[in-house]
Amino acid sequence: MTDRHDLPPGFRWGVATAAYQIEGAAREDGRGPSIWDTFTAREGTVRDGHTGDTACDHYHRWHEDVALMRGLGVDAYRFSIAWPRVQPTGQGAVNGAGLAFYDRLVDALLDAGIEPLPTLFHWDLPQALEDGGGWLERDTAYRFAEYAAVVADRLGDRVRSWITLNEPFVHMVYGYALGNHAPGRALLLDALPVAHHQLLGHGLAAAELRARGGAVLITNNLTPVRPASGSAEDLAAAEAYDTLHNRLFNDPVLLGSYPDLSAFGVSADLGGAVRDGDLELIAAPLDGLGVNYYNPTLITAPADPGLPFADAPIEGVPRTAFGWPVVPDGLRELLVGLRGRYGAALPPVTITENGCSYPEDLDDQDRISYLSTHLDALAAAAAEGVDVRGYFTWSLLDNFEWAEGYHQRFGLVHVDFDSQKRTPRASYAWYRDLIARHHTLHARRVH
Ligand code: FCB
């Protein structure tokens, strides 16, 4: 039987984090305010009023965190760059101290034999841009491309690959449609221009990165969608949800067109947001698709009119502390489905996030089981012909889990948020041994 050890030679093992979730130092060295600073300062937005002001204090402890990664033996590290550290108001003037932080980090990673894989936008938009309308405004896409160029000018001599956006679907839905994430707007379907402007930002930034010799990926949060029954109503509902969650952000990038959104009463130009030439930019060839997978989604026909779908609970499977269903084979199903849908238009895939929150324990056997079963599913997808190039566990450290604050712990490394002490869990040693075994089996470098 295929298992995780059969993942191909040259496969990249990594861990992932994001700036607002780990850095802290929210007001240091000229960093401008981001929408997450504003959002977390508002009462009732985040569980127990937690904020990312200090988070894991990675801004000061990055040395220790790089050492933890060196100890793991990872090939690569996916982190994100805080736009408001680089451009405090999201445009124009560059903050040298902010850029210098990432410059030092990249050097330290390379010294440790770890490839840096930066994400340029992991949801922490400069507040000044939000004040002008944020991603509802087309102009934000152009500002994003400018920022990408600034970062690539500084780091592009050492960074080979870039991720433009993290999960534009989640940012649109939670940030602008429902409002449980920053910037906290609840516009429902009127949030759809946010999809197009993020994707346009991706396309414009991709051109800047490529012009500087970089390889470009985008990271989408994807879920295999299952209808609750074989009824025509459930099938139609599942198709509508699949279109919104998966196709809305994959089709433009991979096929150069938007999917049919008529089930949502939305026009093909997303309410006038799409202009001539945009889709050509968005569909410029990608070097890889980043896929974040956590769980599948079960969909039924809605009881009330409104949205053309409703969520249903997945029964009979274990759940993480977050309540997310644990369905490892969903990862294989998702990847094989992607290849079926996009065929030759699907670039090589990297799993840029996969992981789970469990209680604080250091002996986290549940996490080991989650990761090992998902890696077996990934190997099964590879055996079925999907070109998978890497896997990044979410996350290196327990960190600020957005609306859940510090309540959901996803780390291979436990963090005591009072003392900032880091303690590797059992899953850290397990992952380290797995990586070492894979490197040995395939005679790659051993750290
Ligand atoms: C993803 C986010 C990441 C993290 C995980 C648990 O949606 O990209 O920042 O919060 O979920």
Side-chain angles (χ1 to χ4, degrees):
M1 207 191 102
T2 312
D3 74 11
R4 63 208 91 128
H5 298 296
D6 298 314
L7 283 159
F11 189 81
R12 318 281 296 153
W13 299 94
V15 284
T17 65
Y20 189 75
Q21 296 179 274
I22 65 165
E23 284 180 0
R27 280 169 271 283
E28 259 177 73
D29 288 346
R31 175 183 173 285
S34 84
I35 57 172
W36 273 94
D37 299 301
T38 310
F39 186 74
T40 55
R42 247 170 47 208
E43 216 174 306
T45 52
V46 174
R47 206 168 143 194
D48 289 337
H50 291 169
T51 76
D53 284 359
T54 308
C56 305
D57 197 29
H58 171 78
Y59 191 76
H60 300 114
R61 294 168 197 264
W62 56 275
H63 244 287
E64 188 181 348
D65 296 337
V66 172
L68 283 165
M69 286 186 265
R70 188 200 279 265
L72 263 179
V74 288
D75 301 301
Y77 172 42
R78 176 180 179 231
F79 59 102
S80 83
I81 294 180
W83 186 350
R85 261 193 216 293
V86 175
Q87 286 179 301
T89 60
Q91 55 190 313
V94 172
N95 175 33
L99 259 184
F101 170 71
Y102 298 106
D103 198 81
R104 291 192 295 272
L105 178 64
V106 162
D107 281 345
L109 289 166
L110 292 172
D111 281 349
I114 300 168
E115 184 190 337
L117 178 59
T119 301
L120 289 167
F121 181 68
H122 201 124
W123 306 349
D124 46 356
L125 192 75
Q127 180 61 40
L129 292 184
E130 175 59 24
D131 295 341
W135 287 109
L136 289 162
E137 287 299 318
R138 188 176 169 91
D139 187 58
T140 299
Y142 293 91
R143 302 287 75 77
F144 180 64
E146 253 173 46
Y147 149 68
V150 165
V151 176
D153 279 341
R154 178 68 177 262
L155 304 180
D157 56 337
R158 286 151 291 155
V159 168
R160 284 190 314 189
S161 306
W162 304 88
I163 297 173
T164 53
L165 305 176
N166 177 67
E167 300 190 352
F169 171 77
V170 176
H171 189 52
M172 175 186 79
V173 171
Y174 287 178
Y176 289 84
L178 302 176
N180 51 332
H181 278 187
R185 308 193 57 168
L187 302 170
L188 302 176
L189 286 173
D190 289 339
L192 272 169
V194 170
H196 183 64
H197 296 145
Q198 286 186 92
L199 288 171
L200 180 62
H202 156 78
L204 291 164
E208 299 289 352
L209 298 168
R210 279 182 176 276
R212 289 161 178 79
V216 180
L217 293 81
I218 185 172
T219 280
N220 279 333
N221 169 287
L222 301 176
T223 181
V225 177
R226 300 168 171 180
S229 80
S231 75
E233 291 76 16
D234 284 354
L235 289 172
E239 192 180 325
Y241 188 75
D242 184 38
T243 300
L244 187 69
H245 192 132
N246 297 313
R247 297 190 55 180
L248 179 56
F249 293 89
N250 280 338
D251 283 16
V253 167
L254 301 179
L255 305 177
S257 56
Y258 277 104
D260 177 6
L261 290 163
S262 56
F264 295 87
V266 171
S267 61
D269 65 355
L270 272 74
V274 183
R275 298 196 190 158
D276 281 354
D278 287 359
L279 280 158
E280 285 74 13
L281 273 167
I282 292 171
L286 275 183
D287 298 285
L289 179 67
V291 171
N292 291 357
Y293 171 75
Y294 288 93
N295 50 256
T297 309
L298 191 67
I299 292 293
T300 62
D304 307 311
L307 287 174
F309 63 83
D311 259 328
I314 297 180
E315 309 284 2
V317 299
R319 287 180 180 272
T320 69
F322 219 142
W324 296 355
V326 179
V327 186
D329 192 56
L331 179 56
R332 187 198 59 77
E333 179 186 340
L334 171 70
L335 296 176
V336 171
L338 274 178
R339 201 201 33 178
R341 175 171 286 168
Y342 296 106
L346 182 69
V349 169
T350 293
I351 305 303
T352 41
E353 285 181 33
N354 174 243
C356 48
S357 72
Y358 281 114
E360 250 192 282
D361 314 20
L362 293 177
D363 186 21
D364 54 345
Q365 296 301 319
D366 284 342
R367 179 169 289 106
I368 293 173
S369 154
Y370 181 101
L371 298 176
S372 60
T373 51
H374 282 75
L375 283 165
D376 290 347
L378 185 60
E384 287 185 48
V386 181
D387 184 359
V388 285
R389 300 284 175 92
Y391 176 89
F392 292 72
T393 298
W394 184 271
S395 181
L396 173 67
L397 303 167
D398 290 343
N399 60 47
F400 176 80
E401 177 47 38
W402 311 115
E404 287 285 306
Y406 297 98
H407 291 289
Q408 304 298 341
R409 292 177 174 269
F410 280 87
L412 299 178
V413 175
H414 174 274
V415 177
D416 176 328
F417 291 105
D418 294 324
S419 66
Q420 291 295 344
K421 184 171 163 29
R422 277 96 161 120
T423 311
R425 293 191 162 101
S427 57
Y428 175 98
W430 173 85
Y431 197 46
R432 177 195 63 207
D433 294 349
L434 170 67
I435 295 170
R437 170 106 193 271
H438 192 264
H439 284 165
T440 310
L441 279 174
H442 296 288
R444 292 195 65 242
R445 71 201 160 103
V446 178
H447 294 267

